[in-house]
Every structure is written in C-alpha cells, then in structure tokens.
C-alpha cells in the first residue's frame, strides 16, 4: 500500500450519478483501460466573473491541457477547487457552467469524467448547486463534499493494482473534524485531492495537517 499526498497546480460518456453506500459515504469505482493510469489535474481554473467568464490564459491552458490529455489518453480530470471565480455559481442555469467549463475544455479526452472538489471561491456561491449539476452534465461527477474515486488497473487478472483518490473539502474540515483517515493494508495507491491555502510557501495556520 502506498499513500501519496500531493497538491497541484473518446468518446462521449454517460452521466455518472453516485448514490451513497450503506455507511453514507460516496464511493466511485471504475475499471481502467490499461495497466497504468493517466489523468489530468487542474486547480484555480475558474475563469472570471461575468461578463467575461473566461480569460485568455485559461483558454490557452485548456488548449495545451487537451493536447497532452489526448496524447496520453487521459482517463479523467481532477478539478481541485476554485472552479468558478470569484463568487461560485448560484443555480443550475448559471452561465459559468457553460462559458467557464463546457465551452472551454473541449478536447476529446477531456469529455471523460471530471471529479471536482470545492475551493474558497466556490463557497462564495452554492456548492450544492455544483452537486446538482452532476445530474445534467455527462462528465461533471461531484456527489458530495467528500468522496472517493477508485480505479482498478488492468495489470493482473487475480490481484490488480488499485488507485484510490480521496477527495475532501478542506473549507469544511479545517479545525472542525476530529476524524482521522485509516488506511487498510492493500495493494492500493491512495492520493489525496483538495484545495489548500498556501501562502509564501507555507500552509496557513488553519490548514489541518492531520490529513497528511
């Protein structure tokens, strides 16, 4: 078992609506196409407030991101917060969904699943509306404030490697939760995805380092 904490900077698929398991937790389970897993990670990507909705830098980055993802056959995208600048989204018909997201990330492999988590700017609007958007957009897959994404690699018929990504909202958890993550021993890579406050190379005091 390996645990890797990190921070960052095809064809049409069907909408993936995720219901909680019996214990109330949301778990997404997928089978990977290959014995390795290529995916894209993006954060602080949320364009610009109306009337512009996106920026030349965002458009340029999206174009390059799409070229690399298509080249490497990226299987999904992690969107690690600040999805919609500066005030989040207000309702399911908010133009940001189309003008900051759908109309910008148009490469073939970027049409596959996106797994988002919220940042502080998303909390200026309605984060639950971003959950609701999962029901109307085939690639936006955002079931809850925290959830896991697990991909089983195609590398062994009897004991395949698994990659488990733990998505959680640090805006809610910092200095609030006493829950510690417990990892079972298994042939599973675990990756932590979140939106963190970093200032001058140091984590801000309210960042809960227990999740490392």
């Amino acid at each position: 078992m390996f645990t890797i904490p990190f921070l960052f900077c095809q064809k049409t698929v069907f909408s993936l609506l995720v219901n909680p398991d019996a214990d109330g937790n949301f778990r997404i389970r997928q089978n990977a196409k290959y014995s390795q897993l290529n995916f894209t990670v993006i954060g602080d990507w949320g364009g610009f407030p109306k009337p512009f909705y996106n920026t030349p830098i965002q458009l340029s980055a999206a174009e390059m991101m799409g070229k690399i993802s298509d080249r490497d056959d990226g299987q999904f995208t992690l969107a690690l917060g600040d999805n919609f600048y500066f005030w989040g989204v207000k309702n399911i018909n908010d133009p940001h969904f189309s003008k900051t997201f759908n109309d910008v990330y148009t490469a073939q492999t970027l049409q596959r699943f996106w797994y988002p988590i919220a940042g502080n700017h998303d909390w200026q609007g309605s984060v639950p509306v971003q959950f609701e958007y999962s029901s109307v957009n085939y690639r936006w897959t955002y079931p809850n404030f925290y959830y896991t994404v697990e991909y089983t690699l195609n590398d062994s018929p009897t004991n395949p490697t698994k990659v488990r990504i733990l998505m959680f909202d640090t805006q809610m958890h910092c200095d609030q939760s006493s829950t510690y993550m417990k990892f079972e021993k298994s042939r599973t890579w675990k990756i932590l995805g979140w939106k963190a406050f970093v200032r001058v190379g140091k984590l801000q005091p309210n960042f809960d380092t227990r999740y490392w």
Side-chain angles (χ1 to χ4, degrees), residues 30 47 54 66 73 82-83 93 106 113 190:
Q30 301 275 32
N54 54 62
D73 197 19
D82 286 354
N83 305 322
N93 298 313
T106 58
F113 293 128
K190 294 189 175 70

Side-chain angles (χ1 to χ4, degrees), residues 118-121 123 168-174 176 195-197:
N120 57 305
H121 285 280
W123 275 99
F168 62 96
D169 192 329
T170 54
Q171 302 298 315
M172 296 181 67
H173 285 275
C174 289
Q176 295 181 36
K195 175 67 170 66
F197 288 108

